[in-house]
Amino acid sequence: MEISQLLKGVLDLAVLAVLRDDDGYGYDVLRRLRVAGLDEVGDASVYGTLRRLYKAGLLTSYVVPSEEGPHRKYYSLNDRGRARLAESAHTWRSFASTMDSLVKERA
């Protein structure tokens, strides 16, 4: 099974989760996902997901000037984003539990 196919279904949840406690800009979010173990996640996928979640009203954004290059656009969860994260996390836990039961080896 290809990880990239699994990521398509859960990237929204993963991005919301990494923004739960700390705001982040695009590359920072990508780095956090990779540090968490999602090495296969692509740059374009993360940037596209951030834009889509923002347009859906789940994130707010603000710009921070940078002395070492272009300004950085930071994203943060708003109340709607936190609600979606909670809902999606519940759905994920239920789904993962079902899949664990299905694939568990029987002794």
Side-chain angles (χ1 to χ4, degrees), residues 18 25-35 38 41-43 46-47:
V18 300
Y25 55 94
Y27 182 75
D28 180 52
V29 171
L30 176 66
R31 182 191 57 76
R32 287 194 240 168
L33 290 168
R34 289 181 175 163
V35 166
L38 299 178
V41 69
D43 300 21
V46 171
Y47 287 102

Side-chain angles (χ1 to χ4, degrees), residues 1 3 5-6 11-12 23-24 46 48 51 53-54 57-58 60-61 68 77 85 87-88 94 96-97 100 102:
M1 177 176 299
I3 297 292
Q5 292 299 313
L6 293 172
L11 190 53
D12 286 10
D23 299 353
V46 171
R51 282 191 300 273
L53 293 173
Y54 176 77
L58 304 175
T60 56
S61 70
E68 300 176 4
L77 284 183
L85 173 59
E87 174 188 310
S88 296
S94 176
S97 175
D100 283 342
L102 285 170

Side-chain angles (χ1 to χ4, degrees), residues 55-97:
K55 285 183 180 181
L58 304 175
L59 301 176
T60 56
S61 70
Y62 57 95
V63 175
V64 174
S66 173
E67 294 179 12
E68 300 176 4
H71 299 327
R72 291 183 175 154
K73 185 174 186 177
Y74 279 76
Y75 293 92
S76 60
L77 284 183
N78 57 27
D79 289 341
R80 287 184 61 197
R82 290 187 187 286
R84 175 70 60 87
L85 173 59
E87 174 188 310
S88 296
H90 174 76
T91 301
W92 171 257
R93 284 190 290 274
S94 176
F95 178 76
S97 175

Side-chain angles (χ1 to χ4, degrees), residues 1-11 40-42 45:
M1 177 176 299
E2 289 189 36
I3 297 292
S4 62
Q5 292 299 313
L6 293 172
L7 275 171
K8 288 180 183 179
V10 297
L11 190 53
E40 291 83 5
V41 69
S45 296

